[in-house]
Amino acid sequence: MIDPLLRQKVRNVVAKRLHRNMSRRGINLRDLSTRSGVAESVLREYLAAQREIKFDELRPAFGVFGITLMQALAPNGNKKKALDAAQLERLTERGAEAWKDVPDATKWVEELRGN
């Protein structure tokens, strides 16, 4: 038997990700229902995190957004990790350190190519 708290956490994630995808694409409940073939009342329960997960209902709902159910339920929510300013700065510093002894990277590459 699955822990009831875990089940609710999954329902909360589904609700959040449905809301996010609807908002990003400007799709309202009626549009999602029409496009997915899932009844508005069913979608409303998912959006309220009140409905038990049924793959045959969620698969077409997330399919409207061009994502698979597995992508929708993945730990990162099919979200691309954003590169923050500090990470970018560290990468830039590492690159500068790696290339510090090469005065002209283009010339160096051309020489390697035999040009």
Side-chain angles (χ1 to χ4, degrees), residues 102-113:
V102 180
D104 185 341
T106 303
K107 183 177 177 183
W108 181 80
V109 170
E110 291 298 323
E111 287 174 2
L112 285 177
R113 292 179 177 165

Side-chain angles (χ1 to χ4, degrees), residues 20-105:
R20 183 174 59 220
N21 279 286
M22 289 171 69
S23 176
R24 285 182 179 168
R25 290 169 177 85
I27 296 175
N28 63 31
L29 183 62
R30 178 171 288 142
D31 291 338
L32 183 58
S33 176
T34 300
R35 294 179 190 187
S36 68
V38 179
E40 282 186 48
S41 59
V42 168
L43 292 170
R44 195 173 292 112
E45 288 180 34
Y46 280 122
L47 289 166
Q50 298 301 311
R51 188 169 182 87
E52 288 298 320
I53 304 301
K54 295 183 183 175
F55 290 169
D56 62 324
E57 294 171 342
L58 285 175
R59 192 174 293 114
F62 280 106
V64 168
F65 309 118
I67 58 175
T68 67
L69 183 56
M70 298 319 300
Q71 289 171 319
L73 297 178
N76 67 356
N78 196 38
K79 189 178 0 175
K80 293 180 183 175
K81 186 177 178 184
L83 188 65
D84 67 26
Q87 289 173 312
L88 182 58
E89 182 63 29
R90 283 192 300 276
L91 289 172
T92 302
E93 288 172 3
R94 288 177 61 196
E97 178 64 25
W99 287 91
K100 72 179 180 184
D101 297 328
V102 180
D104 185 341

